[in-house]
Amino acid sequence: MTLIGYHASHEQFAPSALREYSVLAEQAGFQGIKSSDHFKPWSERQAQSGFAWSWLGATMQACSSPFGVISAPGYRYHPAVLAQAAATCAEMFPDRLWLALGSGQALNESITGVQWPEKAERNARLKECAEVIRALFNGEEVTHRGRITVIEAKLYSRPERPVPLFGAAVSKESATFVASWADGLLTTSGADLKATKDVIAAFREVAGDDKPIYLQHALSWAETEDKAFEHALDQWAPVSIGGEVNWDLRRPSDFDLISTAVRREDVAETLKVSGDLQQHIAWIAELAELGADHIYLHCVGRNQMQFIEAFAPHIPSLSRHNG
């Protein structure tokens, strides 16, 4: 069975509003919540970026669903501190948290003043951090000297079972890399279904068929197609640039500058945009057929309450597509 969840976008909404949307999504039938973890928004128009870990404690208390979060260790977060944050949430809310690790982006991670490395170096640092976090989850005392340094770290407050540690990947190469150490895959799905298939296949080739696949599905829905495109261009145009730019720019204003060149057709290549609710349901059903265990829907517009109300009645049928 594919579970259909709600993506909580900290870049776009105040933490208090995002907690309310998550509660409403659960009450409406969404089957899980996935949280982003940003220090800065993608755009000055988004204008938010609450601390995900404070928000998780409050919102997991207000809900009973499983939660997940994606973070980048080794820059903003020392891996031991990130492990402690996740272990604390999981001890309070047993078996309800998963943690995905990614190689990060300069927008969020360069605030500590470290030199922002190229992708291969970021991957190497990520793998070291993942090994440290897993050892800490297992109750080991960790001393490690490498790209990151850890001296006699040990988690004293831990859940009975370690937090599942996923690898985040948006390319075939990254999916192959995380498959060697992750408990599952977190990837994105937008307009290109084949690209999503290829990422999943690359992960499966190394990890096998038993590890779960989680998807964050970006979409823009509104009462008309023109309105859906208006929402997408206002809130998600910077992310539509693609390439390495998304990982290397440091300021929301930089993203706003480059987004002035983004057109409707550019947005349509990176996320599903339509005013037709049934078309969106069909697209999500296609994703479920890929064998995804969880699909987290991210409606990029500011119309979150309307989105939750419109999509919720279709969750039971979508949840039956896989399996």
Side-chain angles (χ1 to χ4, degrees):
M1 177 179 285
T2 299
L3 300 184
I4 305 298
Y6 173 75
H7 174 68
S9 178
H10 282 281
E11 310 91 280
Q12 297 179 270
F13 303 100
S16 55
L18 207 55
R19 181 186 57 197
E20 179 184 356
Y21 294 145
S22 298
V23 170
L24 290 173
E26 180 181 84
Q27 291 173 346
F30 284 79
Q31 298 158 317
I33 312 292
K34 176 193 168 290
S35 170
S36 61
D37 184 356
H38 271 231
F39 195 87
K40 299 175 185 176
W42 292 101
S43 165
E44 294 291 350
R45 292 189 298 276
Q46 293 178 334
Q48 295 291 337
S49 232
F51 185 51
W53 292 96
S54 300
W55 180 87
L56 279 166
T59 310
M60 291 180 80
Q61 178 67 37
C63 297
S64 59
S65 297
F67 275 67
V69 61
I70 176 172
S71 296
Y75 307 96
R76 252 189 314 158
Y77 296 122
H78 189 282
V81 173
L82 186 58
Q84 185 186 32
T88 296
C89 281
E91 194 280 331
M92 291 190 294
F93 308 107
D95 301 319
R96 286 180 52 203
L97 180 71
W98 54 267
L99 171 63
L101 302 180
S103 60
Q105 56 195 139
L107 177 69
N108 298 303
E109 312 310 330
S110 65
I111 62 164
T112 60
V114 299
Q115 181 179 356
W116 187 242
E118 43 81 33
K119 177 62 171 173
E121 177 62 24
R122 298 202 308 271
N123 277 352
R125 181 179 290 239
L126 172 59
K127 188 171 184 180
E128 282 192 19
C129 290
E131 291 170 352
V132 166
I133 291 170
R134 191 179 297 283
L136 290 168
F137 283 166
N138 290 333
E140 300 175 28
E141 182 179 285
V142 177
T143 293
H144 174 89
R145 294 177 177 88
R147 289 173 171 84
I148 46 98
T149 300
V150 186
I151 305 297
E152 297 178 353
K154 182 178 179 179
L155 294 181
Y156 287 87
S157 296
R158 294 183 295 116
E160 289 187 13
R161 286 165 292 280
V163 177
L165 202 58
F166 282 46
V170 296
S171 69
K172 294 186 293 183
E173 294 76 16
S174 292
T176 298
F177 162 68
V178 303
S180 65
W181 54 263
D183 296 325
L185 172 70
L186 173 67
T187 189
T188 58
S189 64
D192 189 348
L193 186 65
K194 182 181 183 303
T196 304
K197 286 181 178 178
D198 289 345
V199 170
I200 292 173
F203 180 82
R204 290 284 192 221
E205 186 174 350
V206 175
D209 296 330
D210 295 332
K211 293 184 178 181
I213 304 292
Y214 289 6
L215 300 179
Q216 178 183 324
H217 176 57
L219 64 96
S220 185
W221 167 84
E223 56 271 21
T224 67
E225 185 162 309
D226 285 342
K227 195 70 175 177
F229 271 106
E230 182 182 321
H231 286 319
L233 286 166
D234 178 68
Q235 290 291 295
W236 219 244
V239 190
S240 300
I241 296 297
E244 291 299 309
V245 171
N246 284 344
W247 317 122
D248 292 337
L249 291 182
R250 294 188 298 136
R251 306 174 187 88
S253 58
D254 293 336
F255 282 95
D256 283 331
L257 179 62
I258 63 172
S259 72
T260 58
V262 175
R263 305 159 298 172
R264 278 175 63 134
E265 51 265 42
D266 300 320
V267 166
E269 290 180 358
T270 56
L271 69 156
K272 296 293 193 182
V273 184
S274 179
D276 184 346
L277 177 59
Q278 293 304 319
Q279 176 63 79
H280 279 290
I281 300 308
W283 282 330
I284 297 165
E286 286 183 347
L287 287 175
E289 295 293 347
L290 298 182
D293 296 271
H294 290 196
I295 300 175
Y296 295 90
L297 305 184
H298 177 201
C299 184
V300 302
R302 306 200 66 82
N303 57 336
Q304 295 298 290
M305 293 186 70
Q306 294 91 339
F307 157 72
I308 291 168
E309 291 172 359
F311 280 68
H314 301 277
I315 290 174
S317 61
L318 289 169
S319 298
R320 289 194 293 267
H321 261 85
N322 175 33

